[in-house]
Amino acid sequence: MNSHQTFDKVLLHWAEQTPDAAALAGAGQSDLSYFDLYEILRESRLMLAGNGIGRNDRVALVHSGGAEMAAAAIGISSLAAVAPFSPAMSAGEFYLHFQDKKIRALALESALPSAAREAAVRLQIPVLDIVHDDPAIAGKIRLSGQTGLPPIQPESLCEEDMFVIFTTSGTTSYGKTVPLSHRLMLPRIRSMARMMDYRPTDRVLNIMPLFHTGGFSAGMMATLYSGGTFSAIKNNDVDALFRSLATFRPTVIAGGYTVFHSIERKASEYVNEITAAKAHLRMLRTGTGHLDQKIARRLESIFETPVLEAYGSAETSFMACTGIPPAPRKDGSVGQPDRSRVFIVNSQGEPLPPLEKGEIAVTRQTAFDGYENNPAANREAFSQNWYHTGDEGYLDEDGFLFITGRIKEMINRGGVKIIPTEVDQAALRHEIVREAASFPLPHPTLGDDLALAVVAEPGQSLSEDSLRDFLKTQLVPNKIPSRILIVDAIPKGATGKAQRHKLADQLGLLTTKNKVETPPAAARGALPANTALLQKIWQQILGRDDIGLDDNFFALGGDSLQAVDLFMQIEKELGRRLPRDVLFQAGTVREMARLIEEGEAADCIVPIQPKGTNPPLFFVHPIGGEVLGYRKFARYLDADQPFFGIQQYRSERGHSRFSSLEEMADYYLQEIREFQPVGPYYLGGHSFGGLIAYIIARKLAEKGEETAFLALLDTYLPNARRHVSPTQWLHAHYRKWKALPASEKGRYILTRVRNIAKGGVRKAKLILLSRQTRKVGADRGNHDLGISNQDINALNLRSFRPEPYNGNAVLFRTELPVSFDPAVHDEWQNLILGDLEICDIPGGHVEIMEEPIVQNLAVLLTEHLNRRQQEYVLTATPQVRMGS
């Protein structure tokens, strides 16, 4: 089989080796054998040549689908290049495609009402009818009609002859032209068949359009290449698919990811059919986009067979495919690609190491030859070494590929770059959300705002407010959609994908010029007296005078540094201290004014992910005192794992400053025990936070309480050596600066200069503080020097002397940058008297809390956490304070 260079030779092989084996099948029809399919191929070749159609001539194929379209495609490709199209296109679309692709003839299903005939007539393109000779036999068709062209002698195909002309789906209806020769197609088909382990005994039930590369190549061609039996369901008819299960007895069900949502939803109506299919079925295969893991797991449970997800395109074919058990698999990954072909590259085209996000690229020689009649698209897609897919993703340490979104679909929301698929996946984690598609919404000041359309599970009700509250637990504030629409269906293109840049118009959001009216005050309640002053503070901090009462702080471009400035100004002007995390609950002027008027105080313990039945996990703040940085980390913990941050800012109750780390730990321990009176306890923290968690664990041990889990996320002891020479410092930053695009180099240098200046000021403050003989307590002279929590904590670190802890811990140790000595973690060996487990993770001290490394860190920590939870058989469920 590997020696065959054109697809007609592949079919000849099976026609000779297994002539009576079924090639094509259809509901209520007899199967078409490989011998009969090859006869159709041979007769079609003679018919095309007799009508003047020869090698590399292009024949458009417009058909409603099924075995008959498959047979027609095989017949046309026996001599000419087949160009399949969706029959639903308009006459204007057909006209442009036929003209652009230099279509020589149109092969049209004889009884199909289609605008394709009108376009062909206007272009004076001859039309050949596809006649179903015997409706009782699947795929028994013939080409009929006259082109008026002089006949030619049929010639044998060679590998450089054109096989198929695809049109990319794209974000517009027109798309780009991808011509593929037999030389390119045969290795692709061979590779797809190998990845999916297709065999002559396989019976593939396909519910993907045959005008799409997924249905044509991965469905029809890969099956026939393998000598299996192919059956195609028309029009994404899920009911027809279920009815076919008992009669066709498929070993594989293949379809686009959106169709599998419908299959899962309707499965309860076809229990008997599914039961009958289980005896034969060995996999479900999905493609064209990412199938949500929630749906995939349900399908695997319903059909009792694995779901394989393939990642590829018309330009590249399969780049990866999840393995068939017992091959290794990872949730959220599309499998392990060929590392000699698939790479993650930065904006300069340089390959990136594991866990760093970048663009997914394939080597130029393993992609296609280029888009036709589109030099601009080729300049954008091809570089010297790569074909750039336009998809963002990363590879983990084991070579598994994770796709994080489509770069070209990125939404720029006032300077905040948002990958829509991240928002989609967050919404799909809600148990009632069945489908989700986020999309850009024009905004007069932000450029683009973010909107989200969702479909609820059948029979379930869902409100915009409840979903927004849920999304606040899944996403950082600047990625929360401003508009959420609960719809019956999300509009999709012909291939089953939502076209994001059209959704605002399709869902009727542009008819009022996208002006979202704010309800009058009477409808929302009277405005608090401090609203106007608060709005003025926001305008000063964010440097703009067009801020409305309901504009979101992060959507306006606010960042964590501006948040600190905002709260300091509020404290000065309004005399109120607010915790930084209040922006998660009160992200607008109106909501913040309400909280200030109500006198709502912030708790030391912040419910970042409060839901779940497992014992709570408490994470202490880093040295700055805030827990905002734990939001990304919490998103990747188990959904059943409650996660609470311990923040330094206390607002109206207690102290925010402490005279020592021991005092801080005593205070936090009191808060934790009020929240959870009995152990065992699960603690952790990043950097400084890990150190405080260790002190708390030691104090719990002194009280006879047990800490079941202590996680130290790249935590250093205060006396460890952390010196770096100027040469090392310059070398490290030079490497980072060199990798940046030219537009960002100046900003990088300016940031380094500012950091050096800040560091100098901070060091001077600490020296001044250390000379003071009084203890640094809460609100006792601190503000005279502008001392921050970070300054106080750094000073207390200098005087801290660690003591041994009679317990266990897990140290998550980074690949240290040159600014740290490799021995800085060694002292933990002498302090942790129980088992100290060290887990090495890639990335640097700061990078481990950022995408994509934070996901890997959370998954690794969860494995250790789950193991410790399982080892502890609790005599009573930890008593947690209700209403927290």
Side-chain angles (χ1 to χ4, degrees), residues 403-456:
I403 303 168
T404 53
R406 183 81 180 149
I407 293 173
K408 292 181 181 179
E409 290 183 344
M410 187 180 290
I411 298 170
N412 188 341
R413 188 190 205 187
V416 177
K417 305 295 179 61
I418 301 171
I419 296 287
T421 49
E422 180 184 0
V423 181
D424 299 350
Q425 293 302 313
L428 287 168
R429 295 187 195 111
H430 193 291
E431 60 183 3
I432 296 179
V433 173
R434 176 161 200 86
E435 296 182 49
S438 52
F439 57 96
L441 192 61
H443 192 281
T445 56
L446 297 177
D448 278 333
D449 202 354
L450 178 65
L452 173 69
V454 299
V455 177

Side-chain angles (χ1 to χ4, degrees), residues 464-474 480 484:
E464 178 181 344
D465 289 342
S466 66
L467 181 55
R468 179 173 282 106
D469 289 342
F470 174 81
L471 290 175
K472 288 178 180 179
T473 70
Q474 304 293 312
I480 303 295
I484 297 178

Side-chain angles (χ1 to χ4, degrees), residues 554 559-568 571 577-584 602-606 608 619-631 643-651 656-657 664 668 684-690 787-790 793 849:
F554 292 101
D559 56 30
S560 57
L561 294 178
Q562 288 173 312
V564 173
D565 292 339
L566 176 69
F567 288 118
M568 290 180 65
E571 182 178 345
R577 295 179 182 173
L578 295 174
R580 309 303 188 256
D581 70 296
V582 78
L583 283 172
F584 294 131
D603 279 335
C604 170
I605 296 179
V606 179
I608 296 176
F619 255 51
V620 182
H621 60 79
I623 197 167
E626 311 295 346
V627 294
L628 287 171
Y630 288 146
R631 294 286 292 187
F643 181 75
F644 297 87
I646 300 177
Q647 66 180 355
Q648 187 166 1
Y649 219 96
R650 183 59 183 169
S651 188
S656 62
R657 311 296 177 96
M664 174 182 280
Y668 293 164
H686 176 226
S687 191
F688 176 86
I787 304 300
S788 67
N789 282 340
Q790 181 168 340
N793 295 338
M849 302 308 293

